[in-house]
Amino acid sequence: MMNLIFAAMIIIAVVCACVTGKGSELAQGVIDGAAESIQLLITMSGMMLLWSGIMEIARRGGFTAIIGRLLSPVLRRLFKKLPKDSKALCCISMNVSANLLGLGNAATPFGISAMKELKKLSPHSDKASDEMVLFVLINTASIQIMPTMVGTLRQIYGSREPFAILPGVWISSVCALAVGLTIAKLFCKNGGS
Amino acid sequence: MELFMPLFIAVVLVFGLIKKVPIFDAFTDGARDGIKTMLSIAPTLVGLIVAVDMLKASGATDMLCGFISPAAKQLGFPEELVPMILLRPVSGGGSTALLTNIYKTCGPDSFAGICASILAGSTETTFYAIAVYYGSVGIKKVRHTLLAALSADFTAAVMAVVCAKLLIKI
């Protein structure tokens, strides 16, 4: 998919520049884009490293476990069919807590273990179970307390209040997740568990 | 709100001290992980920022925006947001490139900038997550996952505009 998108973007740009006669601007765009992307990465890296470090302190202090405990009533209701103390539910809870803290690297291994546990409980080998759909949906929605990347980028480009967007981000992601989960529940095999 | 970030950091540090975490070791370990993440997104970001800058320089984005803008205006969407809504579920790097482009042309605190910020913060690279998780256990029939996930993405786009309108009023 990305192969096609990448090629299409550049080919369209070149064809369009030929038609509109913006050849020199296009050439400048290539040079500026390449330089700017590395500049942006370097500027961004400082803040992103700082955040990763701070979040690692939070993780080792047991933040994830605390969030996991707060979440467990919600998750138990969502995944009704899973036994209370099952390994699947435990992995799901760790994955969601890590996602909330924005620890993508920590969340993925838990998520993959959760999928493996869910597969053991599923009767089909190549078809997604209702629980799997719900779980993947939670991971396709961004449920992050601190969207550090967006905040950092806003800061770099001179925002007066980089984190003023937080309430909007929270409301918007909760609404999105709610819509996704509602649709998933409607499609459940037994009309919602 | 401007104190949110320093306060958040202070709370985490105090919490770590109470829990007897070796704070500085944890910090450096985490930051080391962070640099790996930055290195891993570098190639994607370079490729896609160049592609977006080329589209912009060639006048193609202006043409696209001109094409979309009547419909976008009717719905109250900033036209700059439309390409980002389309690319967001497919490519994290691509939508970051479009996000920085909006910041550059309109500013991060403009209406379009705030919409784009909320959209970027409240959505994920949907197709990537689906591929990673189902791929890891060899599931091929994903049933209604895509429909539900894309409806969620669409909701996030609508809500981003709604919330940005509210935030600007405050």
Side-chain angles (χ1 to χ4, degrees), chain A residues 154, chain B residues 77-81 84 99 102-103 105-119 164 168:
Chain A
R154 285 173 58 78
Chain B
F77 273 58
E79 58 194 43
E80 297 87 352
L81 201 63
M84 196 176 146
L99 178 69
I102 292 176
Y103 288 165
T105 44
C106 316
D109 293 326
S110 65
F111 178 54
I114 293 176
C115 288
S117 306
I118 298 178
L119 181 70
I168 278 187

PDB file of all heavy atoms in Angstrom, chain A residues 154, chain B residues 77-81 84 99 102-103 105-119 164 168:
ATOM      1  N   ARG A 154       4.022  20.690  18.051  1.00  0.00           N
ATOM      2  CA  ARG A 154       3.385  22.000  18.219  1.00  0.00           C
ATOM      3  C   ARG A 154       4.373  23.002  18.808  1.00  0.00           C
ATOM      4  O   ARG A 154       4.436  24.152  18.382  1.00  0.00           O
ATOM      5  CB  ARG A 154       2.148  21.888  19.106  1.00  0.00           C
ATOM      6  CG  ARG A 154       0.950  21.248  18.395  1.00  0.00           C
ATOM      7  CD  ARG A 154      -0.193  20.990  19.338  1.00  0.00           C
ATOM      8  NE  ARG A 154      -0.667  22.183  20.010  1.00  0.00           N
ATOM      9  CZ  ARG A 154      -1.459  23.097  19.455  1.00  0.00           C
ATOM     10  NH1 ARG A 154      -1.877  22.925  18.225  1.00  0.00           N
ATOM     11  NH2 ARG A 154      -1.835  24.150  20.132  1.00  0.00           N
TER      12      ARG A 154
ATOM     13  N   PHE B  77     -15.232  21.768   7.513  1.00  0.00           N
ATOM     14  CA  PHE B  77     -13.885  21.208   7.666  1.00  0.00           C
ATOM     15  C   PHE B  77     -12.868  22.159   7.042  1.00  0.00           C
ATOM     16  O   PHE B  77     -13.102  22.653   5.951  1.00  0.00           O
ATOM     17  CB  PHE B  77     -13.779  19.886   6.901  1.00  0.00           C
ATOM     18  CG  PHE B  77     -14.214  18.691   7.680  1.00  0.00           C
ATOM     19  CD1 PHE B  77     -15.501  18.623   8.200  1.00  0.00           C
ATOM     20  CD2 PHE B  77     -13.352  17.629   7.901  1.00  0.00           C
ATOM     21  CE1 PHE B  77     -15.908  17.511   8.913  1.00  0.00           C
ATOM     22  CE2 PHE B  77     -13.755  16.514   8.611  1.00  0.00           C
ATOM     23  CZ  PHE B  77     -15.042  16.459   9.125  1.00  0.00           C
ATOM     24  N   PRO B  78     -11.733  22.406   7.705  1.00  0.00           N
ATOM     25  CA  PRO B  78     -10.679  23.140   7.004  1.00  0.00           C
ATOM     26  C   PRO B  78     -10.138  22.270   5.866  1.00  0.00           C
ATOM     27  O   PRO B  78      -9.925  21.075   6.068  1.00  0.00           O
ATOM     28  CB  PRO B  78      -9.600  23.358   8.071  1.00  0.00           C
ATOM     29  CG  PRO B  78     -10.031  22.651   9.288  1.00  0.00           C
ATOM     30  CD  PRO B  78     -11.356  22.008   9.062  1.00  0.00           C
ATOM     31  N   GLU B  79      -9.959  22.868   4.687  1.00  0.00           N
ATOM     32  CA  GLU B  79      -9.600  22.051   3.521  1.00  0.00           C
ATOM     33  C   GLU B  79      -8.240  21.379   3.679  1.00  0.00           C
ATOM     34  O   GLU B  79      -8.011  20.306   3.147  1.00  0.00           O
ATOM     35  CB  GLU B  79      -9.619  22.909   2.253  1.00  0.00           C
ATOM     36  CG  GLU B  79      -8.680  24.089   2.335  1.00  0.00           C
ATOM     37  CD  GLU B  79      -8.929  25.116   1.243  1.00  0.00           C
ATOM     38  OE1 GLU B  79     -10.101  25.406   0.979  1.00  0.00           O
ATOM     39  OE2 GLU B  79      -7.940  25.607   0.675  1.00  0.00           O
ATOM     40  N   GLU B  80      -7.345  22.015   4.444  1.00  0.00           N
ATOM     41  CA  GLU B  80      -6.007  21.436   4.634  1.00  0.00           C
ATOM     42  C   GLU B  80      -6.084  20.090   5.352  1.00  0.00           C
ATOM     43  O   GLU B  80      -5.171  19.280   5.284  1.00  0.00           O
ATOM     44  CB  GLU B  80      -5.118  22.370   5.476  1.00  0.00           C
ATOM     45  CG  GLU B  80      -4.823  23.720   4.848  1.00  0.00           C
ATOM     46  CD  GLU B  80      -5.898  24.742   5.160  1.00  0.00           C
ATOM     47  OE1 GLU B  80      -6.952  24.368   5.745  1.00  0.00           O
ATOM     48  OE2 GLU B  80      -5.698  25.924   4.811  1.00  0.00           O
ATOM     49  N   LEU B  81      -7.186  19.884   6.083  1.00  0.00           N
ATOM     50  CA  LEU B  81      -7.311  18.682   6.906  1.00  0.00           C
ATOM     51  C   LEU B  81      -7.647  17.443   6.069  1.00  0.00           C
ATOM     52  O   LEU B  81      -7.327  16.322   6.469  1.00  0.00           O
ATOM     53  CB  LEU B  81      -8.414  18.921   7.950  1.00  0.00           C
ATOM     54  CG  LEU B  81      -8.408  18.041   9.196  1.00  0.00           C
ATOM     55  CD1 LEU B  81      -7.149  18.279   9.993  1.00  0.00           C
ATOM     56  CD2 LEU B  81      -9.629  18.349  10.063  1.00  0.00           C
ATOM     57  N   MET B  84      -5.025  14.875   5.186  1.00  0.00           N
ATOM     58  CA  MET B  84      -4.549  14.211   6.400  1.00  0.00           C
ATOM     59  C   MET B  84      -5.540  13.157   6.885  1.00  0.00           C
ATOM     60  O   MET B  84      -5.141  12.078   7.315  1.00  0.00           O
ATOM     61  CB  MET B  84      -4.316  15.261   7.480  1.00  0.00           C
ATOM     62  CG  MET B  84      -3.474  14.734   8.611  1.00  0.00           C
ATOM     63  SD  MET B  84      -3.144  16.047   9.779  1.00  0.00           S
ATOM     64  CE  MET B  84      -3.133  15.098  11.284  1.00  0.00           C
ATOM     65  N   LEU B  99       0.963  16.917   8.874  1.00  0.00           N
ATOM     66  CA  LEU B  99       0.733  17.721  10.086  1.00  0.00           C
ATOM     67  C   LEU B  99       1.734  18.870  10.163  1.00  0.00           C
ATOM     68  O   LEU B  99       1.348  20.024  10.365  1.00  0.00           O
ATOM     69  CB  LEU B  99       0.853  16.819  11.315  1.00  0.00           C
ATOM     70  CG  LEU B  99       0.681  17.471  12.679  1.00  0.00           C
ATOM     71  CD1 LEU B  99      -0.760  17.909  12.890  1.00  0.00           C
ATOM     72  CD2 LEU B  99       1.077  16.514  13.805  1.00  0.00           C
ATOM     73  N   ILE B 102       0.887  21.559   7.747  1.00  0.00           N
ATOM     74  CA  ILE B 102      -0.193  22.446   8.195  1.00  0.00           C
ATOM     75  C   ILE B 102       0.348  23.452   9.217  1.00  0.00           C
ATOM     76  O   ILE B 102       0.029  24.638   9.169  1.00  0.00           O
ATOM     77  CB  ILE B 102      -1.359  21.622   8.794  1.00  0.00           C
ATOM     78  CG1 ILE B 102      -2.039  20.812   7.693  1.00  0.00           C
ATOM     79  CG2 ILE B 102      -2.377  22.544   9.481  1.00  0.00           C
ATOM     80  CD1 ILE B 102      -3.138  19.885   8.182  1.00  0.00           C
ATOM     81  N   TYR B 103       1.210  22.966  10.147  1.00  0.00           N
ATOM     82  CA  TYR B 103       1.808  23.875  11.125  1.00  0.00           C
ATOM     83  C   TYR B 103       2.602  24.976  10.432  1.00  0.00           C
ATOM     84  O   TYR B 103       2.584  26.130  10.838  1.00  0.00           O
ATOM     85  CB  TYR B 103       2.738  23.111  12.078  1.00  0.00           C
ATOM     86  CG  TYR B 103       2.027  22.223  13.084  1.00  0.00           C
ATOM     87  CD1 TYR B 103       2.719  21.259  13.796  1.00  0.00           C
ATOM     88  CD2 TYR B 103       0.670  22.373  13.337  1.00  0.00           C
ATOM     89  CE1 TYR B 103       2.082  20.443  14.721  1.00  0.00           C
ATOM     90  CE2 TYR B 103       0.021  21.566  14.250  1.00  0.00           C
ATOM     91  CZ  TYR B 103       0.740  20.600  14.940  1.00  0.00           C
ATOM     92  OH  TYR B 103       0.113  19.802  15.848  1.00  0.00           O
ATOM     93  N   THR B 105       2.271  26.137   7.245  1.00  0.00           N
ATOM     94  CA  THR B 105       1.519  27.077   6.415  1.00  0.00           C
ATOM     95  C   THR B 105       0.468  27.849   7.206  1.00  0.00           C
ATOM     96  O   THR B 105       0.263  29.025   6.956  1.00  0.00           O
ATOM     97  CB  THR B 105       0.837  26.357   5.232  1.00  0.00           C
ATOM     98  OG1 THR B 105       0.241  25.161   5.715  1.00  0.00           O
ATOM     99  CG2 THR B 105       1.840  26.000   4.167  1.00  0.00           C
ATOM    100  N   CYS B 106      -0.191  27.205   8.178  1.00  0.00           N
ATOM    101  CA  CYS B 106      -1.269  27.900   8.895  1.00  0.00           C
ATOM    102  C   CYS B 106      -0.890  28.247  10.329  1.00  0.00           C
ATOM    103  O   CYS B 106      -1.553  29.074  10.962  1.00  0.00           O
ATOM    104  CB  CYS B 106      -2.545  27.060   8.934  1.00  0.00           C
ATOM    105  SG  CYS B 106      -2.974  26.286   7.385  1.00  0.00           S
ATOM    106  N   GLY B 107       0.114  27.586  10.879  1.00  0.00           N
ATOM    107  CA  GLY B 107       0.469  27.812  12.290  1.00  0.00           C
ATOM    108  C   GLY B 107      -0.227  26.801  13.180  1.00  0.00           C
ATOM    109  O   GLY B 107      -1.361  26.413  12.912  1.00  0.00           O
ATOM    110  N   PRO B 108       0.464  26.366  14.261  1.00  0.00           N
ATOM    111  CA  PRO B 108      -0.108  25.331  15.133  1.00  0.00           C
ATOM    112  C   PRO B 108      -1.329  25.807  15.926  1.00  0.00           C
ATOM    113  O   PRO B 108      -2.129  24.982  16.357  1.00  0.00           O
ATOM    114  CB  PRO B 108       1.043  24.958  16.071  1.00  0.00           C
ATOM    115  CG  PRO B 108       2.013  26.078  15.982  1.00  0.00           C
ATOM    116  CD  PRO B 108       1.840  26.714  14.647  1.00  0.00           C
ATOM    117  N   ASP B 109      -1.472  27.120  16.117  1.00  0.00           N
ATOM    118  CA  ASP B 109      -2.604  27.606  16.901  1.00  0.00           C
ATOM    119  C   ASP B 109      -3.751  28.119  16.033  1.00  0.00           C
ATOM    120  O   ASP B 109      -4.736  28.659  16.547  1.00  0.00           O
ATOM    121  CB  ASP B 109      -2.146  28.713  17.860  1.00  0.00           C
ATOM    122  CG  ASP B 109      -1.210  28.158  18.937  1.00  0.00           C
ATOM    123  OD1 ASP B 109      -1.416  27.004  19.347  1.00  0.00           O
ATOM    124  OD2 ASP B 109      -0.283  28.879  19.342  1.00  0.00           O
ATOM    125  N   SER B 110      -3.639  27.952  14.688  1.00  0.00           N
ATOM    126  CA  SER B 110      -4.757  28.329  13.817  1.00  0.00           C
ATOM    127  C   SER B 110      -5.850  27.265  13.933  1.00  0.00           C
ATOM    128  O   SER B 110      -5.633  26.196  14.509  1.00  0.00           O
ATOM    129  CB  SER B 110      -4.267  28.394  12.371  1.00  0.00           C
ATOM    130  OG  SER B 110      -3.878  27.093  11.958  1.00  0.00           O
ATOM    131  N   PHE B 111      -7.021  27.563  13.352  1.00  0.00           N
ATOM    132  CA  PHE B 111      -8.127  26.597  13.410  1.00  0.00           C
ATOM    133  C   PHE B 111      -7.709  25.269  12.766  1.00  0.00           C
ATOM    134  O   PHE B 111      -7.842  24.198  13.373  1.00  0.00           O
ATOM    135  CB  PHE B 111      -9.358  27.179  12.705  1.00  0.00           C
ATOM    136  CG  PHE B 111     -10.534  26.242  12.679  1.00  0.00           C
ATOM    137  CD1 PHE B 111     -11.020  25.688  13.858  1.00  0.00           C
ATOM    138  CD2 PHE B 111     -11.144  25.905  11.480  1.00  0.00           C
ATOM    139  CE1 PHE B 111     -12.103  24.821  13.838  1.00  0.00           C
ATOM    140  CE2 PHE B 111     -12.220  25.042  11.454  1.00  0.00           C
ATOM    141  CZ  PHE B 111     -12.698  24.499  12.633  1.00  0.00           C
ATOM    142  N   ALA B 112      -7.116  25.355  11.559  1.00  0.00           N
ATOM    143  CA  ALA B 112      -6.679  24.127  10.876  1.00  0.00           C
ATOM    144  C   ALA B 112      -5.613  23.412  11.699  1.00  0.00           C
ATOM    145  O   ALA B 112      -5.609  22.184  11.805  1.00  0.00           O
ATOM    146  CB  ALA B 112      -6.135  24.463   9.491  1.00  0.00           C
ATOM    147  N   GLY B 113      -4.713  24.194  12.307  1.00  0.00           N
ATOM    148  CA  GLY B 113      -3.638  23.605  13.108  1.00  0.00           C
ATOM    149  C   GLY B 113      -4.168  22.851  14.306  1.00  0.00           C
ATOM    150  O   GLY B 113      -3.685  21.760  14.625  1.00  0.00           O
ATOM    151  N   ILE B 114      -5.175  23.443  14.976  1.00  0.00           N
ATOM    152  CA  ILE B 114      -5.741  22.771  16.147  1.00  0.00           C
ATOM    153  C   ILE B 114      -6.508  21.517  15.733  1.00  0.00           C
ATOM    154  O   ILE B 114      -6.370  20.462  16.347  1.00  0.00           O
ATOM    155  CB  ILE B 114      -6.634  23.751  16.950  1.00  0.00           C
ATOM    156  CG1 ILE B 114      -5.760  24.842  17.561  1.00  0.00           C
ATOM    157  CG2 ILE B 114      -7.397  23.026  18.050  1.00  0.00           C
ATOM    158  CD1 ILE B 114      -6.509  25.916  18.286  1.00  0.00           C
ATOM    159  N   CYS B 115      -7.297  21.618  14.663  1.00  0.00           N
ATOM    160  CA  CYS B 115      -8.005  20.434  14.145  1.00  0.00           C
ATOM    161  C   CYS B 115      -7.018  19.313  13.865  1.00  0.00           C
ATOM    162  O   CYS B 115      -7.216  18.163  14.278  1.00  0.00           O
ATOM    163  CB  CYS B 115      -8.730  20.748  12.833  1.00  0.00           C
ATOM    164  SG  CYS B 115     -10.165  21.789  13.001  1.00  0.00           S
ATOM    165  N   ALA B 116      -5.941  19.650  13.156  1.00  0.00           N
ATOM    166  CA  ALA B 116      -4.961  18.632  12.762  1.00  0.00           C
ATOM    167  C   ALA B 116      -4.284  18.038  13.994  1.00  0.00           C
ATOM    168  O   ALA B 116      -4.039  16.830  14.049  1.00  0.00           O
ATOM    169  CB  ALA B 116      -3.923  19.245  11.824  1.00  0.00           C
ATOM    170  N   SER B 117      -3.995  18.884  14.994  1.00  0.00           N
ATOM    171  CA  SER B 117      -3.358  18.383  16.217  1.00  0.00           C
ATOM    172  C   SER B 117      -4.258  17.367  16.908  1.00  0.00           C
ATOM    173  O   SER B 117      -3.799  16.305  17.329  1.00  0.00           O
ATOM    174  CB  SER B 117      -3.105  19.531  17.204  1.00  0.00           C
ATOM    175  OG  SER B 117      -2.384  20.564  16.611  1.00  0.00           O
ATOM    176  N   ILE B 118      -5.538  17.712  17.043  1.00  0.00           N
ATOM    177  CA  ILE B 118      -6.466  16.807  17.727  1.00  0.00           C
ATOM    178  C   ILE B 118      -6.603  15.515  16.933  1.00  0.00           C
ATOM    179  O   ILE B 118      -6.563  14.421  17.492  1.00  0.00           O
ATOM    180  CB  ILE B 118      -7.838  17.478  17.939  1.00  0.00           C
ATOM    181  CG1 ILE B 118      -7.689  18.710  18.839  1.00  0.00           C
ATOM    182  CG2 ILE B 118      -8.832  16.497  18.559  1.00  0.00           C
ATOM    183  CD1 ILE B 118      -8.961  19.466  19.081  1.00  0.00           C
ATOM    184  N   LEU B 119      -6.716  15.652  15.614  1.00  0.00           N
ATOM    185  CA  LEU B 119      -6.840  14.450  14.779  1.00  0.00           C
ATOM    186  C   LEU B 119      -5.618  13.548  14.954  1.00  0.00           C
ATOM    187  O   LEU B 119      -5.742  12.334  15.141  1.00  0.00           O
ATOM    188  CB  LEU B 119      -6.990  14.857  13.313  1.00  0.00           C
ATOM    189  CG  LEU B 119      -7.144  13.685  12.345  1.00  0.00           C
ATOM    190  CD1 LEU B 119      -8.486  13.008  12.535  1.00  0.00           C
ATOM    191  CD2 LEU B 119      -6.988  14.133  10.903  1.00  0.00           C
ATOM    192  N   ALA B 164     -12.161  21.512  18.118  1.00  0.00           N
ATOM    193  CA  ALA B 164     -11.343  22.684  17.787  1.00  0.00           C
ATOM    194  C   ALA B 164     -12.201  23.938  17.819  1.00  0.00           C
ATOM    195  O   ALA B 164     -11.772  24.992  18.310  1.00  0.00           O
ATOM    196  CB  ALA B 164     -10.704  22.505  16.412  1.00  0.00           C
ATOM    197  N   ILE B 168     -11.431  27.013  20.422  1.00  0.00           N
ATOM    198  CA  ILE B 168     -11.119  28.361  19.950  1.00  0.00           C
ATOM    199  C   ILE B 168     -12.033  29.388  20.611  1.00  0.00           C
ATOM    200  O   ILE B 168     -11.626  30.493  20.949  1.00  0.00           O
ATOM    201  CB  ILE B 168     -11.205  28.421  18.407  1.00  0.00           C
ATOM    202  CG1 ILE B 168      -9.887  27.899  17.841  1.00  0.00           C
ATOM    203  CG2 ILE B 168     -11.507  29.814  17.913  1.00  0.00           C
ATOM    204  CD1 ILE B 168      -9.730  28.031  16.358  1.00  0.00           C
TER     205      ILE B 168
END
